[in-house]
Amino acid sequence: MSTSTMFQDFLSNIQINNAEDISYRYGEITSSLNQKFRDTDSKTANSLQVGSYGRHTGIKGISDLDMLYIMPKSEWENYKGTGGQTKLLNDTKNAIKDRYPKTDIRVDRLVVTVTYTNFHVEVQPVFEEYDDKGQSYFKYPDTYNGGSWKNTKPRQEIAAMTEFVNQKNKNLRKLCKMMRSWKNKHGVGMGGLLIDTLAYNFLKSTNEYDDKSYAYYDWMSRDFFKYLMDQPNRDHYQALGSGQDVKVKKPFQKKAKKAYEACLAAIEADGTDAAYEKWKKVYGRPFPTKPAVTTESARARSWNNTEEFIEDLHPIDVRYEINLDCDISQNGFREHPLSYWLTRKIALKPNKNLKFTAEPINIPHPYTLKWKVLNRGTEAQRRNCIRGQIQLDSGNLQKIENSDFKGEHIVECYIVKNNVVVARNRIDVPIE
């Protein structure tokens, strides 16, 4: 399979597959608000789809959807005073609640969150204004610390994305989508607007891909990760189009460097069967798999492939970070973290006790934690002990294991919130 075909198939695999359901929910919410504030039941008027979905850079599994509802100017008098921000959000919540009385709908500082199966919509009521240049912006309510009104400019962000897509041979949105697959695979806590802004800045900095397409997406991936790993540490960037601050939740350079090195290995393997798996290490399971060929040895294998994949159980939309640590001990010896052994190049032998501890970072409750322990190598196959099943945490955010035999051992953890994986991490434990 050619590079062009592989990346075309990859982008097809991550295409949003529930757009009809999303559009229906947007329409119902819009209709309920129009009935409350305008005495009409239009499902399209006075609302604006924003965020990744509105910029057309979201991918399969998207769960965090954003919508602005544009209030009538005449309503400003009712909300401009003290406490008006809270009143506006509560009125918005109650209007939607009339349409969905059994749905989880709540006010969350800036927005009204409407939670459905597999995704939620954050509805932000706004008042439209115009600056001295005639450009549109929106005032939105913030209930924090007594309440205030803040400004946002999503129309400019959408316009910048649309204009630049046309200038760069439609590569911008595709690059944004590929990067979302990467961050979901490796648990990179980057927001959608940050990804889109960095991709925009990268393509703006080079003419290399102005007339290129899928056949060059391997090089474009490599060069973009190089661009990311070379970025200085910053706490924010200016968003494409609007120039407003977009926050950096956590440094991404280290994981970008690993992705860059993985791209080099995948490009080196171009034209061979190994290229598929090497690109999967960058972009995850949605990247196409080498066409299966049933061989005599495969039919005669004596081990069961019991590995499960989180993508088959839940949509993936990583928005948070989770730390995963491993402490190693043995009778008669002190306990040390895995990094102690690896940095000192001390070989890990069998018969060690391994304690994995997960630490969710600023993830609001409720959520559940799931674990996956996978063994690889000839010894795991000989013992028919691949494992890889996904299991629910016992409640203490820990997983206790023993190193019984040589080979590659992988432990992954996942945070599942509203049936969506919102954080993940992984540790590789080599037993020699």
Side-chain angles (χ1 to χ4, degrees):
M1 188 182 294
S2 68
T3 297
S4 178
T5 303
M6 283 196 298
F7 277 90
Q8 285 185 67
D9 289 350
F10 168 42
L11 282 155
S12 176
N13 290 343
I14 60 176
Q15 184 175 357
I16 290 176
N17 62 342
N18 61 339
E20 187 175 328
D21 187 20
I22 291 173
S23 295
Y24 172 77
R25 300 298 187 184
Y26 270 130
E28 291 297 302
I29 292 172
T30 300
S31 177
S32 65
L33 294 174
N34 276 328
Q35 289 179 49
K36 165 69 175 178
F37 295 110
R38 284 188 168 89
D39 197 25
T40 174
D41 62 357
S42 172
K43 295 184 177 182
T44 56
N46 310 308
S47 70
L48 183 64
Q49 297 174 8
V50 294
S52 297
Y53 194 78
R55 293 189 300 273
H56 301 286
T57 54
I59 64 172
K60 183 179 180 179
I62 185 172
S63 66
D64 190 0
L65 299 161
D66 303 291
M67 167 186 161
L68 300 188
Y69 179 74
I70 305 170
M71 294 289 295
K73 292 184 181 299
S74 59
E75 291 286 339
W76 175 244
E77 292 297 319
N78 295 328
Y79 299 105
K80 69 178 184 180
T82 303
Q85 297 86 0
T86 299
K87 182 176 186 301
L88 176 57
L89 289 171
N90 281 327
D91 287 350
T92 301
K93 180 193 75 171
N94 293 334
I96 302 171
K97 197 72 175 176
D98 287 343
R99 172 65 183 84
Y100 292 110
K102 297 182 179 179
T103 299
D104 181 11
I105 304 172
R106 63 186 67 186
V107 172
D108 185 12
R109 179 175 168 176
L110 309 172
V111 297
V112 174
T113 301
V114 186
T115 302
Y116 304 105
T117 303
N118 293 344
F119 67 85
H120 66 271
V121 181
E122 294 186 346
V123 183
Q124 194 167 63
V126 297
F127 289 93
E128 188 168 16
E129 302 285 349
Y130 293 88
D131 62 21
D132 53 7
K133 296 180 181 179
Q135 291 189 331
S136 165
Y137 68 94
F138 297 99
K139 292 195 297 189
Y140 65 90
D142 184 354
T143 58
Y144 178 71
N145 199 25
S148 62
W149 295 96
K150 296 184 177 179
N151 298 335
T152 184
K153 301 178 180 180
R155 290 196 197 276
Q156 288 87 332
E157 293 161 5
I158 293 171
M161 175 66 67
T162 302
E163 179 184 2
F164 211 60
V165 162
N166 295 331
Q167 291 177 6
K168 296 290 180 175
N169 200 29
K170 301 183 179 179
N171 287 329
L172 177 55
R173 283 195 178 116
K174 292 169 186 171
L175 179 59
C176 294
K177 292 178 180 182
M178 289 159 57
M179 290 309 110
R180 281 167 171 76
S181 189
W182 165 69
K183 68 104 175 174
N184 285 344
K185 160 68 175 173
H186 298 281
V188 187
M190 295 175 71
L193 184 55
L194 177 60
I195 289 176
D196 294 353
T197 296
L198 289 168
Y200 175 90
N201 291 348
F202 164 69
L203 287 177
K204 192 174 182 179
S205 72
T206 177
N207 297 323
E208 187 67 29
Y209 301 101
D210 288 5
D211 58 352
K212 301 295 192 299
S213 191
Y214 297 100
Y216 289 87
Y217 280 13
D218 53 350
W219 290 5
M220 186 169 71
S221 299
R222 174 201 64 193
D223 293 349
F224 183 56
F225 285 122
K226 179 70 164 61
Y227 176 83
L228 289 185
M229 65 181 259
D230 289 341
Q231 289 292 298
N233 284 328
R234 300 173 56 172
D235 60 6
H236 72 279
Y237 286 80
Q238 274 66 53
L240 75 164
S242 69
Q244 295 188 300
D245 288 352
V246 53
K247 185 178 178 181
V248 178
K249 297 178 182 177
K250 192 172 182 180
F252 49 77
Q253 288 86 344
K254 186 176 179 181
K255 290 186 177 181
K257 184 175 186 293
K258 289 183 178 180
Y260 169 72
E261 293 167 349
C263 286
L264 294 180
I267 291 170
E268 175 111 7
D270 186 43
T272 72
D273 290 346
Y276 295 91
E277 289 306 313
K278 291 186 182 296
W279 281 116
K280 275 185 176 292
K281 289 183 179 180
V282 179
Y283 288 121
R285 198 152 177 252
F287 202 87
T289 302
K290 181 188 74 165
V293 177
T294 304
T295 64
E296 201 61 40
S297 60
R299 283 192 290 266
R301 76 183 183 194
S302 58
W303 53 276
N304 298 318
N305 188 356
T306 53
E307 183 178 6
E308 296 177 346
F309 296 93
I310 194 68
E311 292 86 349
D312 295 336
L313 303 178
H314 304 282
I316 311 293
D317 189 9
V318 170
R319 303 192 302 278
Y320 302 99
E321 296 272 351
I322 178 171
N323 289 336
L324 180 59
D325 292 318
C326 175
D327 290 320
I328 301 174
S329 62
Q330 186 173 344
N331 289 338
F333 295 90
R334 288 181 60 190
E335 184 177 279
H336 289 291
L338 176 62
S339 58
Y340 171 89
W341 300 80
L342 297 182
T343 56
R344 289 163 176 76
K345 297 183 180 180
I346 302 173
L348 290 177
K349 302 296 184 181
N351 303 316
K352 295 283 191 298
N353 299 316
L354 312 175
K355 181 174 73 175
F356 298 89
T357 304
E359 181 190 3
I361 307 297
N362 297 325
I363 304 179
H365 289 278
Y367 56 75
T368 57
L369 176 69
K370 293 188 176 183
W371 295 95
K372 172 177 172 177
V373 180
L374 176 68
N375 300 323
R376 285 178 175 164
T378 55
E379 185 64 16
Q381 294 173 4
R382 187 185 71 80
R383 296 183 181 216
N384 193 20
C385 190
I386 296 296
R387 300 178 66 185
Q389 296 90 345
I390 294 173
Q391 300 174 327
L392 193 63
D393 180 65
S394 61
N396 58 2
L397 305 182
Q398 289 185 347
K399 184 75 172 172
I400 307 299
E401 292 287 323
N402 296 306
S403 59
D404 295 330
F405 53 85
K406 298 178 182 179
E408 183 184 4
H409 305 265
I410 299 165
V411 174
E412 292 189 336
C413 63
Y414 318 95
I415 294 291
V416 181
K417 184 175 177 64
N418 297 325
N419 197 42
V420 177
V421 176
V422 298
R424 69 189 298 177
N425 207 340
R426 158 180 170 148
I427 285 184
D428 293 66
V429 184
I431 306 298
E432 299 182 8

